[in-house]
Amino acid sequence: MSSRKKVLLKVIILGDSGVGKTSLMNQFVNKKFSNQYKATIGADFLTKEVIVDDRIVTIQIWDTAGQERFQSLGMAFYRGADCCVLVFDVTAPNTFKSLESWRDEFLIQASPRDPDNFPFVILGNKVDLDNRAVSAKRAQQWCQSKNDIPYFETSAKEAVNVELAFQTIARNALAQETEAELYNEFPDQIKLNANDNGRNRDGDNCAC
Amino acid sequence: MSGSSSVEDLPDQCKDLFTQDGVLLKACLGRPITDLNSIGMLCIVENHDNSKSIEWRPNDLITIDSDTQDQEWAVVNTIGISMSYAKGRRQRTFSGNITADYATARARIIRIPLEELKTFRVTRNNQQMQFSTKPGVWQTTFYFQHGNAEIFVASLKNHVKTAKTRHDRNTYVVVEPNTESQVLNKSFAELDIFTENTTDVVWNLVSNFKQRPYETTMEAFSKLTDIVYYGNEGASGKRDVSEEVADLLTKSMNEIDEATTVTTLTRQSDEYEVVTVNPMLPPRPVIPRGTPLSTEKWEGLQDTEGRVTEVDGVRQLIFRGGIARSIRHLVWKYLLDYYPWHMTHAQLKTLHKKRTEEYFTMKLQWRSMTEAQESRFAEYRERKNLVEKDVNRTDRTHPYYAGENNPNLLVLQDILMTYVMYNFDLGYVQGMSDILAPLLLLMGNEVDSFWCFVGFMDKIASNFEMDQAGMKHQLLQLQQLLMFVSPELANHLVQKDSGNMFFSFRWLLVWFKREFSHRDIMRLWEVLWTGLPCANFHLLIGVAILDAEKDVFISKDYGFTEILKHVNDLSMCLDVDKILSNAEGIYHQLVSSPNLPDQIRVTLGLPTINISTSTHSEADNNKPSTSRGTENGYPRI
C-alpha cells in the first residue's frame, strides 16, 4: 500500500435514457443484472472498494436520470467528479450521437480544473443484442478524435467487459486523484487569490 | 335563551367566513345535557342582511345523510378539523330536501350574533373558548379538540373590535363590531392592552412611526399584536411584556428599514433568519387515522339517481381513512375529475360513451401512423422510444406487470402513447409510467385508466414541464416548510449542502410512488387527491417523513451523500398511516402558529397576513436560499 489515506473517487455515469447506466453500475458493484430496474428518477449512487495499483480506493458511482429535462438536476451532482463515464446503446444510433453533447455539458457544468485532460471513458453497451447499429469502428474513431478517450464495448446483462472498464475508470480517476475522507463530501476549494477583491462568497474567504 | 337562536330565526342563506372543525360543545346555558360534548364546527358566518354571527353546528348536521350512530362517521366527526380558508366564502344553502334528522340537528345550531357578543375568553392552554352576551355569565363554552383557538380568535378579531381586560389577559371585551373602515382603529385599540406597564414603550414606538407609510405601520402593529397575544401565553418562561415589545420593535423596525430605507435603528445582522423568529409551534396533536370509505357509506352518499350529494363529506371521509378496495376504482374516477360528482347514472353513462369514443379516436391517430411517416417524424419517434423503454421497466416485480410478453405492458404502452396524442407538447416524460401503473392495475380498463391518468396529470403536469419550474418551486416550498417546522433539521441540511432538497426530487416528481408499495401508494394518493386539509399537503408528507428522520440525520451528522442515500433507502420502509397522521399533525401546528409567514400561507392556500420571515428574497428568484449559484435554474450543491 502506497498510502494510508483512504481515497474516494467520484465517478459520474451519463448517457441517454435507457442505455443501461443503472445496469452497468449494478453489474459492477453487485455483480447482478436485472431487467426489473426502474427508470432512475432523481439521483442515486453506489460505492465499491477496488484495488488499483496496490492501492485500495473507493469508487462512488453516481447515476442520474437520462431524460433531457432532468439534466439540470443531474448537473448538481457533477461537482468534484474524478471521472465521467459516457454510455451509449450500440443498438440505438441516437444515443451515440448524444455523446458529444453529454461530454460538452459535463465539462461546462463540472468545470474541472483541466478540462482538456479530464478523464472520460466511453462505454458502448448492450453488445449482447443482435440488432447492433453502431459499429465498433465508428465508436473508436469518435473516441480517438476526442483526445483518445478509452472505449469499451460492454454488456451489463452478460457482464462483458464491465470489470475491465471500471478498472480503467478507477485508474484514470485515481490519476486525477482527489483525496478525501471516505463518505466525506468534497470540501469547497478555498480560493486565496487576490482577484476576489474581498468579495466574500459565503464566508469562504479569509477577510484578512 | 339569549345567545343562541332557534331554528326559525335562521336565515336561509349565510356565508361561512371562517370555519373550524373538531370543536366540542362543553357547556351551553339552557341546552339539554344530551347536546353537550358533541362535536361540531365553529364558524363565523355572514347573514343575508350582512350582520355576522358566531355559529356552532353539530357535525351530524354537516354530514346530513348519515345515520349519526355509524362508526365511520363518528370517527370522522370526532377528529375532523379543517380550516376552510381555502374554500373561501363557501355558500351554505339550507334548501332542498331536508330529512327529519337534519331538521332536528339544525335546531341544535348555536348562534351568537356578533352584535350581542360582549366578552369572550380563551383558557386552558388556548384550547377552550367561552362566550358571553351579558356580563357575569359565560353562556357557551367550546373546546378545541385539535390545535387551539388561536386562529379562530385571530379571525374573530377581523370582525369585532376587541380589547383585553386589565385584570385578565385571556379575556377580551368586544368594543364594537368592526367594519372595514375601522381597521386602523382596531390596531390602536389592540394596543390598549399594554396599559399595565408598557404604554410608554408602545407610544414611543407610535411616535417613531410618524413619518412611516400606513402599510408598514400596520404590518408592524400586526406583528406586535401577535407577540403580545400569543408570545407570553406559551408554557416556557413568562417574559416581561415590555421586553417582548422591545424585541419586536427591533424586528419590526428592521423590516421597516427594508421597506422604506429610513434607518433609525442599527440593524444587528444582515440576514433575518427564520429561526430567530421563534416559530412558537404549538405541540403536535396526535391524529389517528379513520376507517376507509365503505361501500354502504358510499352508496348512502348518492341520491336515487346516482348523484353524489355531499361532496365535502365524501372528501372528508376519504381524507380521514381512504377508500375501501371494493369501491376504490369507482371513487377514483370522481377524485380524478373523470366523473363529475353531480352527474346521474344516466349522465355518466353518456359521458363514458363519449370519453370512450374520444379515447379510441386519439389512439387511432398514432396506431395508424405508417413506418414511413414515423421516419419523418422525429419528435414522435423520440416520444415513442421513451415510452417503450420505460414501460418495460415499470413495476415489473408486481404480478400484474411481471413476466415476458405480459399483455398489461401493452395496455400501459397504448395508454401512454395515446396520452402523447392527447398532450403532444408535454409528450412522455419519465415518471409518467410510474403514475399510470397503479391506475391501470386498479381499473383494469384501458379507457378508464387513461382518463384517470389525464386527471392525475392535470394535478401534477407542472412536475413534468420542460423547464422544471414546478419542481424547483416545490423544492423551495418544501425547504421553507421544513425551516419553519423543524429549523434544526433544515439548518443541518443547509450546512450539509442539501438545502436545495434535491434528495426529495423523486418524492415530489411522482408523488411518493417509488417510496411505497402499490397498496400504500393507492391510499396515499387518494388522500392527497381530496385536496384536504390544505393546498400542497403532499409537501407536508415530505416534511413529516424528514421530521421523523431528524435524529438520524443530526445525531449521525450525515453529510450530503449520506442524506441522499438515507432518503433513497427509506423506500418501502415507510408507514403510510403514520406519515399521514404526522403530516396532518404538522398541518395543525402550522395553522395554529400565530406567526406563520406569508410564503408558507401561500403554499398552503391560506390567506396572507403580512408576516415574512426573511429578507433574502427567495420567493422572487425562486431558488432555495442555500444555493451558491445556479445553472438552468437549479441551484448547485
Side-chain angles (χ1 to χ4, degrees):
Chain A
M1 303 288 155
S2 59
S3 171
R4 296 275 101 193
K5 245 184 181 175
K6 280 185 175 172
V7 177
L8 180 72
L9 301 173
K10 183 172 177 177
V11 173
I12 314 288
I13 305 190
L14 299 177
D16 284 359
S17 173
V19 295
K21 299 180 290 293
T22 308
S23 294
L24 282 162
M25 179 175 81
N26 271 289
Q27 180 58 261
F28 171 61
V29 175
N30 299 321
K31 305 273 175 242
K32 276 196 302 201
F33 175 80
S34 162
N35 48 18
Q36 292 170 347
Y37 291 131
K38 296 176 176 187
T40 305
I41 298 179
D44 202 358
F45 67 91
L46 290 177
T47 54
K48 184 176 183 170
E49 286 201 341
V50 292
I51 297 173
V52 182
D53 301 335
D54 287 340
R55 278 183 91 174
I56 296 178
V57 297
T58 303
I59 311 189
Q60 186 183 67
I61 305 161
W62 283 81
D63 179 26
T64 57
Q67 197 170 357
E68 194 187 349
R69 70 194 65 198
F70 298 129
Q71 278 175 42
S72 55
L73 174 87
M75 287 166 191
F77 300 93
Y78 296 180
R79 198 165 61 112
D82 297 298
C83 180
C84 177
V85 182
L86 301 177
V87 186
F88 72 97
D89 172 354
V90 295
T91 70
N94 279 340
T95 66
F96 176 68
K97 285 178 202 147
S98 302
L99 291 180
E100 182 105 32
S101 67
W102 280 112
R103 179 178 167 276
D104 292 349
E105 202 58 40
F106 175 83
L107 287 174
I108 293 166
Q109 300 303 337
S111 44
R113 270 161 290 183
D114 184 4
D116 293 336
N117 294 307
F118 185 85
F120 285 94
V121 172
I122 310 289
L123 305 183
N125 193 34
K126 305 196 187 182
V127 290
D128 55 286
L129 296 179
D130 299 330
N131 53 335
R132 183 167 182 145
V134 181
S135 71
K137 195 180 164 195
R138 188 173 160 205
Q140 273 158 355
Q141 275 173 354
W142 185 83
C143 289
Q144 277 163 14
S145 75
K146 299 292 168 189
N147 211 2
D148 264 334
I149 304 179
Y151 173 64
F152 294 91
E153 303 220 318
T154 58
S155 163
K157 187 176 181 181
E158 293 175 0
V160 176
N161 274 343
V162 176
E163 193 65 33
L164 184 66
F166 275 94
Q167 272 293 326
T168 306
I169 291 162
R171 182 168 294 111
N172 293 1
L174 189 61
Q176 182 81 356
E177 197 169 326
T178 300
E179 294 201 357
E181 291 268 323
L182 187 57
Y183 290 123
N184 201 359
E185 233 332 91
F186 301 89
D188 276 337
Q189 277 177 259
I190 297 172
K191 288 183 187 162
L192 291 173
N193 68 39
N195 302 345
D196 264 56
N197 282 339
R199 202 169 48 94
N200 266 343
R201 183 176 136 275
D202 293 348
D204 270 352
N205 295 333
C206 169
C208 29
Chain B
M1 59 153 286
S2 115
S4 69
S5 314
S6 66
V7 64
E8 289 75 29
D9 305 333
L10 274 174
D12 274 332
Q13 280 206 325
C14 54
K15 281 176 188 163
D16 288 347
L17 302 176
F18 179 83
T19 65
Q20 182 155 356
D21 287 347
V23 179
L24 203 64
L25 177 64
K26 291 294 285 182
C28 182
L29 282 183
R31 282 294 172 124
I33 199 151
T34 48
D35 272 8
L36 303 185
N37 286 325
S38 40
I39 302 288
M41 189 190 262
L42 196 61
C43 317
I44 300 170
V45 299
E46 183 173 359
N47 306 313
H48 65 302
D49 62 352
N50 293 332
S51 68
K52 292 166 191 166
S53 311
I54 292 167
E55 205 177 276
W56 177 84
R57 302 196 283 268
N59 268 12
D60 33 14
L61 175 66
I62 301 158
T63 52
I64 49 173
D65 279 339
S66 76
D67 41 340
T68 53
Q69 307 306 316
D70 186 289
Q71 263 323 98
E72 275 187 28
W73 283 102
V75 171
V76 171
N77 294 346
T78 48
I79 297 155
I81 169 167
S82 77
M83 310 294 177
S84 62
Y85 277 129
K87 292 174 199 156
R89 295 161 76 90
R90 185 163 53 95
Q91 288 276 342
R92 182 163 56 86
T93 310
F94 286 142
S95 57
N97 298 327
I98 297 174
T99 63
D101 279 355
Y102 180 64
T104 317
R106 200 178 133 177
R108 288 163 53 206
I109 290 178
I110 293 174
R111 286 183 77 236
I112 308 166
L114 289 190
E115 286 164 5
E116 292 173 25
L117 182 65
K118 295 284 190 295
T119 53
F120 60 93
R121 73 173 174 185
V122 185
T123 52
R124 296 212 173 177
N125 199 22
N126 277 345
Q127 286 198 292
Q128 184 168 288
M129 255 189 114
Q130 293 176 296
F131 297 93
S132 168
T133 54
K134 59 181 172 189
V137 193
W138 294 112
Q139 286 131 332
T140 44
T141 305
F142 297 101
Y143 187 75
F144 290 69
Q145 277 206 308
H146 303 291
N148 56 39
E150 284 171 358
I151 302 275
F152 188 86
V153 171
S155 180
L156 184 59
K157 286 196 296 193
N158 291 330
H159 307 292
V160 290
K161 194 161 114 183
T162 62
K164 284 193 181 181
T165 57
R166 264 169 195 278
H167 49 278
D168 181 0
R169 304 210 123 265
N170 300 317
T171 302
Y172 299 75
V173 176
V174 176
V175 181
E176 61 184 82
N178 209 2
T179 63
E180 252 71 12
S181 61
Q182 288 171 324
V183 176
L184 183 62
N185 292 341
K186 173 190 152 217
S187 283
F188 280 95
E190 283 169 351
L191 286 172
D192 290 343
I193 58 181
F194 301 120
T195 46
E196 289 103 320
N197 55 6
T198 54
T199 320
D200 292 345
V201 183
V202 171
W203 286 105
N204 285 345
L205 159 71
V206 172
S207 61
N208 278 340
F209 275 159
K210 261 176 198 161
Q211 313 101 315
R212 309 208 186 287
Y214 169 83
E215 292 79 9
T216 49
T217 311
M218 288 302 296
E219 188 182 336
F221 281 179
S222 71
K223 288 168 186 300
L224 196 61
T225 317
D226 280 333
I227 293 276
V228 173
Y229 279 1
Y230 307 114
N232 52 354
E233 288 173 5
S236 58
K238 290 200 186 295
R239 296 175 69 199
D240 189 292
V241 178
S242 62
E243 206 182 314
E244 287 187 350
V245 170
D247 277 2
L248 182 78
L249 280 186
T250 315
K251 285 173 187 169
S252 299
M253 295 308 271
N254 282 348
E255 295 217 334
I256 288 161
D257 286 348
E258 285 284 320
T260 62
T261 68
V262 177
T263 309
T264 51
L265 285 177
T266 310
R267 291 184 40 208
Q268 310 223 324
S269 66
D270 287 337
E271 292 207 341
Y272 191 80
E273 285 178 36
V274 180
V275 276
T276 62
V277 176
N278 178 12
M280 290 185 297
L281 275 185
R284 187 174 306 169
V286 178
I287 302 172
R289 300 287 305 153
T291 51
L293 173 69
S294 66
T295 311
E296 302 74 46
K297 187 56 60 190
W298 170 248
E299 282 163 0
L301 287 160
Q302 292 167 296
D303 67 14
T304 47
E305 292 181 292
R307 294 181 196 87
V308 181
T309 46
E310 264 303 310
V311 180
D312 285 347
V314 175
R315 286 186 194 278
Q316 277 287 348
L317 268 178
I318 297 169
F319 175 70
R320 268 280 49 81
I323 305 167
R325 282 177 72 175
S326 53
I327 49 166
R328 180 174 269 157
H329 65 284
L330 191 57
V331 184
W332 276 21
K333 293 173 185 167
Y334 291 88
L335 285 174
L336 290 171
D337 303 318
Y338 170 26
Y339 283 6
W341 299 95
H342 61 266
M343 274 197 182
T344 62
H345 288 314
Q347 287 169 318
L348 286 176
K349 210 173 163 187
T350 314
L351 178 80
H352 191 269
K353 192 164 170 264
K354 191 167 160 248
R355 290 280 178 264
T356 305
E357 282 165 14
E358 269 181 75
Y359 176 79
F360 285 108
T361 303
M362 289 185 287
K363 186 175 176 181
L364 194 63
Q365 286 166 357
W366 65 270
R367 287 292 282 242
S368 61
M369 198 164 314
T370 63
E371 265 185 51
Q373 272 181 300
E374 256 187 70
S375 69
R376 295 183 293 266
F377 197 173
E379 285 189 49
Y380 170 80
R381 259 193 341 264
E382 189 190 319
R383 286 159 172 74
K384 192 178 169 197
N385 278 337
L386 279 168
V387 169
E388 281 170 4
K389 271 179 184 152
D390 277 5
V391 160
N392 282 315
R393 45 181 178 165
T394 301
D395 293 338
R396 296 300 299 279
T397 48
H398 192 283
Y400 192 80
Y401 297 112
E404 294 293 304
N405 302 318
N406 185 322
N408 294 326
L409 293 181
L410 284 180
V411 183
L412 210 53
Q413 182 169 336
D414 285 358
I415 295 171
L416 290 169
M417 284 307 295
T418 305
Y419 187 77
V420 166
M421 301 315 289
Y422 174 85
N423 188 348
F424 194 83
D425 289 341
L426 189 59
Y428 173 78
V429 185
Q430 289 193 319
M432 287 187 187
S433 69
D434 278 278
I435 294 291
L436 174 60
L439 301 178
L440 177 61
L441 170 66
L442 180 76
M443 302 277 164
N445 169 302
E446 186 174 342
V447 175
D448 290 342
S449 306
F450 172 82
W451 288 109
C452 285
F453 178 68
V454 166
F456 197 172
M457 285 305 300
D458 283 348
K459 295 181 194 291
I460 55 172
S462 78
N463 287 7
F464 297 96
E465 295 285 356
M466 194 58 174
D467 64 4
Q468 289 286 288
M471 286 302 298
K472 290 166 199 165
H473 189 54
Q474 286 178 76
L475 291 168
L476 172 70
Q477 289 175 319
L478 180 62
Q479 206 263 348
Q480 290 168 343
L481 284 164
L482 191 71
M483 190 57 93
F484 196 77
V485 173
S486 186
E488 198 191 353
L489 175 58
N491 283 319
H492 178 84
L493 296 178
V494 169
Q495 262 177 30
K496 302 297 178 185
D497 278 349
S498 299
N500 51 39
M501 312 299 276
F502 284 173
F503 55 82
S504 62
F505 185 87
R506 189 173 77 190
W507 292 357
L508 304 182
L509 185 80
V510 290
W511 273 25
F512 304 94
K513 160 66 167 53
R514 294 279 179 96
E515 321 311 317
F516 293 98
S517 67
H518 269 100
R519 201 190 63 179
D520 287 350
I521 199 63
M522 288 182 179
R523 172 57 39 81
L524 180 65
W525 281 355
E526 64 202 11
V527 169
L528 292 176
W529 292 333
T530 64
L532 296 173
C534 60
N536 288 309
F537 188 60
H538 69 290
L539 296 178
L540 294 185
I541 299 288
V543 172
I545 297 173
L546 289 173
D547 190 60
E549 303 301 318
K550 183 172 97 176
D551 291 342
V552 178
F553 288 139
I554 295 175
S555 68
K556 296 190 178 172
D557 195 34
Y558 273 179
F560 174 78
T561 51
E562 291 105 325
I563 291 168
L564 181 98
K565 196 53 140 186
H566 186 75
V567 166
N568 282 350
D569 289 349
L570 289 174
S571 174
M572 303 298 155
C573 301
L574 298 164
D575 178 338
V576 71
D577 285 325
K578 201 167 148 194
I579 289 162
L580 278 167
S581 172
N582 285 344
E584 194 185 353
I586 290 169
Y587 161 76
H588 290 305
Q589 285 182 291
L590 288 170
V591 291
S592 312
S593 168
N595 52 3
L596 189 64
D598 274 352
Q599 56 192 14
I600 291 179
R601 291 177 166 276
V602 169
T603 302
L604 303 182
L606 306 173
T608 55
I609 53 168
N610 287 322
I611 293 185
S612 63
T613 51
S614 61
T615 55
H616 40 75
S617 52
E618 298 144 321
D620 302 332
N621 53 24
N622 221 8
K623 65 180 185 189
S625 56
T626 53
S627 61
R628 299 229 172 95
T630 62
E631 51 270 323
N632 295 351
Y634 274 118
R636 273 189 81 155
I637 50 172

